[in-house]
Amino acid sequence: MAGSGWAPPRLDGFILTERLGTGTYATVYKAYRKRDTREVVAIKCVSKRSLNRASVENLLTEIEILKTIRHPHIVELKDFQWDSDHIYLIMEFCAGGDLSRFIRMRRILPEKVARVFLQQLACALKFLHDHNISHLDLKPQNILLSTPENPQLKLADFGFAQYMSPWDEKHVLRGSPLYMAPEMVCRQQYDARVDLWSVGVILYEALFGRPPFASRSFAELEEKIRSDRAVETDLVVEAVKKDQEGDASAALSLYCKALEYFVPALHYESDARRKEAIRAKVGQYISRAEELKALVTSSSKKLLQRENPARELLKEMAKDKPRLCAALEMASAAIAKEEEGKDDGDTLELYQRSLGELLLLLAAEPAGRRRELLHAEIQTLMSRAEYLKDQMKMREAQSMGKEALAEPVRSACTLQ
Ligand code: ADP
Ligand code: MG
């Protein structure tokens, strides 16, 4: 049986090879054109049995239209064929896999990358909507990447959703409800706007590594979507846990990271009640962060100011190695600056530069006492640099948080 059997199906003019993926409706294979160029393509085999009542003819007309669509961020449909059981769509091959795998492999995407991807996705959707085509099944599995390096997004698997009912005869939902707008899941009327809901869910997943309403059941999903609780980030949950475990410095850095997300939310929230709820949270995190900061600072000062005889010994042993000497000097300068209270970007850079050098030297250092000492020193320097980075981040998050908290109060005063 083509599409789901062990061996790839046969298709005139092509050699089908490995299976690239199986989606909701079809199986996709990598293939080569037999003629001259041996062009690489992806062939999607759709079983006719998965089509709903809309006639196959209508679908073929639709595919004919899709063939005319050309956009840099939409997977190109090159051609199609069919036989008694299947429709075969011959598409541009995307070597970078799909966005779902891409996010999974990196856990989360940096904001810069997410921003570019969102722009490309918006571009493709605008183009489709201008042509009166809705996607209706937007999710990371249906967004492909052109290449593994510097990938461009390519929107796939669209235009068929209207022929493929999201519900099959046994009333089982096909596709992932995690990305579907509630009106679609609830089988009420829906329109092109459902795509926008999905875009939001995808963006959230790109930034946080999982969809905002990740659930194990419909009931849980519905409860999460309906509730007007702010989507709690894992960061806060983790922070509270670390705090309870007595790990003050881990809790502190998690609270600060959480503030980085909640402060912008405070800015953008337009619903007064929810804004008030976020304000209360931001206030609460700031005051806990301040208490933790006092705790962490006093204990780490003690730790950092301890005399370090190993460092002196290492310097002694480095006397015949000018490069190592210089790198250790640079590290000492960073420590001195920090102890003078210059806990800023310059000091951090000094730490980072010396660490870069020391790590290189460590790689070339033969086994022995000096290597052990160097290794230990690098670890100390790394945790100091980490600590400094956290301090800087925390200051920034706190001042941002305080500014944001002060803002609505001011505007409320001017109103009165
Ligand atoms: P379905 O309609 O069954 O969901 P899709 O078109 O979404 O089928 O394809 C299923 C999977 O196959 C995708 O998630 C992706 O991993 C892979 N795939 C689809 N099209 C291509 C392509 N053009 N190039 C590379 N991989 C693809
Ligand atoms: Mg799909």
Side-chain angles (χ1 to χ4, degrees):
M1 196 176 70
S4 60
W6 303 108
R10 293 174 167 282
L11 192 62
D12 270 354
F14 294 94
I15 303 165
L16 275 69
T17 62
E18 71 195 85
R19 193 169 59 89
L20 292 170
T22 305
T24 324
Y25 309 107
T27 304
V28 180
Y29 296 91
K30 187 174 180 180
Y32 300 91
R33 239 187 244 281
K34 273 185 190 160
R35 279 179 294 120
D36 43 38
T37 52
R38 283 180 62 85
E39 179 195 11
V40 185
V41 292
I43 298 185
K44 176 169 173 173
C45 310
V46 187
S47 164
K48 282 185 180 170
R49 275 182 305 167
S50 63
L51 303 181
N52 66 6
R53 290 198 197 113
S55 71
V56 171
E57 248 164 76
N58 279 349
L59 176 57
L60 294 181
T61 316
E62 176 76 21
I63 295 175
E64 201 59 73
I65 298 170
L66 293 178
K67 259 178 70 180
T68 64
I69 297 257
R70 287 277 186 289
H71 189 273
H73 297 299
I74 295 177
V75 174
E76 186 190 327
L77 176 63
K78 292 171 182 284
D79 210 347
F80 65 100
Q81 297 185 18
W82 68 93
D83 57 27
S84 52
D85 301 327
H86 292 87
I87 296 174
Y88 304 96
L89 303 171
I90 295 134
M91 304 177 293
E92 160 188 14
F93 171 64
C94 299
D98 64 57
L99 184 62
S100 170
R101 214 175 317 161
F102 190 83
I103 298 174
R104 237 32 18 96
M105 277 168 64
R106 290 161 179 78
R107 205 177 67 79
I108 56 167
L109 306 188
E111 276 181 37
K112 248 200 248 162
V113 176
R115 192 181 307 136
V116 174
F117 280 1
L118 183 63
Q119 281 163 350
Q120 299 182 346
L121 183 58
C123 221
L125 278 178
K126 164 110 182 33
F127 181 85
L128 283 185
H129 287 198
D130 286 348
H131 286 77
N132 277 321
I133 300 170
S134 298
H135 193 293
L136 305 184
D137 192 19
L138 268 181
K139 57 186 174 188
Q141 292 82 353
N142 285 340
I143 299 172
L144 308 180
L145 297 133
S146 57
T147 45
E149 301 293 325
N150 301 319
Q152 299 275 314
L153 285 197
K154 300 267 181 179
L155 195 48
D157 204 8
F158 61 89
F160 308 99
Q162 52 185 309
Y163 296 102
M164 316 279 194
S165 158
W167 299 89
D168 71 12
E169 301 80 50
K170 294 197 191 93
H171 306 297
V172 179
L173 187 64
R174 292 194 284 187
S176 176
L178 292 181
Y179 303 93
M180 286 184 186
E183 64 269 29
M184 200 164 177
V185 182
C186 296
R187 304 178 77 182
Q188 284 157 7
Q189 284 209 309
Y190 57 85
D191 57 31
R193 288 172 295 180
V194 295
D195 283 347
L196 286 180
W197 173 280
S198 311
V199 169
V201 175
I202 293 165
L203 178 62
Y204 184 99
E205 179 168 335
L207 293 172
F208 294 101
R210 63 191 187 98
F213 310 114
S215 307
R216 270 169 300 244
S217 67
F218 268 113
E220 191 184 334
L221 177 65
E222 184 179 340
E223 202 273 320
K224 283 187 174 164
I225 292 179
R226 277 185 194 278
S227 96
D228 59 359
R229 246 180 292 128
V231 176
E232 283 255 338
T233 67
D234 287 350
L235 291 170
V236 176
V237 178
E238 264 303 291
V240 171
K241 198 170 134 227
K242 289 283 175 205
D243 207 353
Q244 279 163 354
E245 285 168 5
D247 188 344
S249 75
L252 176 58
S253 96
L254 286 162
Y255 274 122
C256 289
K257 282 202 191 109
L259 277 170
E260 281 178 53
Y261 292 107
F262 278 96
V263 170
L266 190 55
H267 261 302
Y268 298 125
E269 183 57 67
S270 54
D271 178 281
R273 212 156 50 89
R274 268 181 294 196
K275 201 178 186 96
E276 206 34 61
I278 301 177
R279 267 176 61 87
K281 285 203 166 166
V282 168
Q284 194 187 319
Y285 301 154
I286 289 182
S287 60
R288 186 59 194 149
E290 263 164 7
E291 287 165 14
L292 288 169
K293 187 179 164 187
L295 259 170
V296 171
T297 314
S298 67
S299 67
S300 60
K301 274 250 166 71
K302 265 184 236 140
L303 193 84
L304 293 181
Q305 279 171 353
R306 243 194 345 232
E307 280 291 300
N308 191 338
R311 179 171 303 138
E312 295 316 312
L313 182 59
L314 177 60
K315 278 187 182 160
E316 200 49 48
M317 291 171 88
K319 278 218 163 109
D320 59 332
K321 293 260 180 188
R323 216 176 134 186
L324 182 56
C325 259
L328 288 171
E329 278 314 315
M330 207 192 308
S332 293
I335 293 173
K337 269 191 160 199
E338 193 185 354
E339 272 162 12
E340 278 164 32
K342 290 200 186 94
D343 46 359
D344 54 15
D346 289 344
T347 308
L348 183 61
E349 205 201 293
L350 212 50
Y351 270 123
Q352 281 165 341
R353 266 180 32 220
S354 65
L355 273 166
E357 257 309 272
L358 290 172
L359 281 166
L360 279 178
L361 292 163
L362 180 72
E365 182 68 32
R369 181 80 181 121
R370 194 167 66 188
R371 188 189 164 86
E372 278 165 29
L373 287 172
L374 180 56
H375 190 256
E377 178 66 358
I378 286 176
Q379 283 193 319
T380 312
L381 290 167
M382 276 184 168
S383 51
R384 292 190 74 126
E386 258 328 287
Y387 172 74
L388 176 59
K389 214 180 340 180
D390 279 351
Q391 291 282 314
M392 287 166 53
K393 258 210 170 141
M394 193 176 65
R395 267 205 310 268
E396 200 182 317
Q398 280 184 328
S399 73
M400 255 168 54
K402 281 185 180 154
E403 252 170 53
L405 279 183
E407 223 166 58
V409 177
R410 264 204 306 273
S411 57
C413 289
T414 50
L415 279 176
Q416 278 167 0

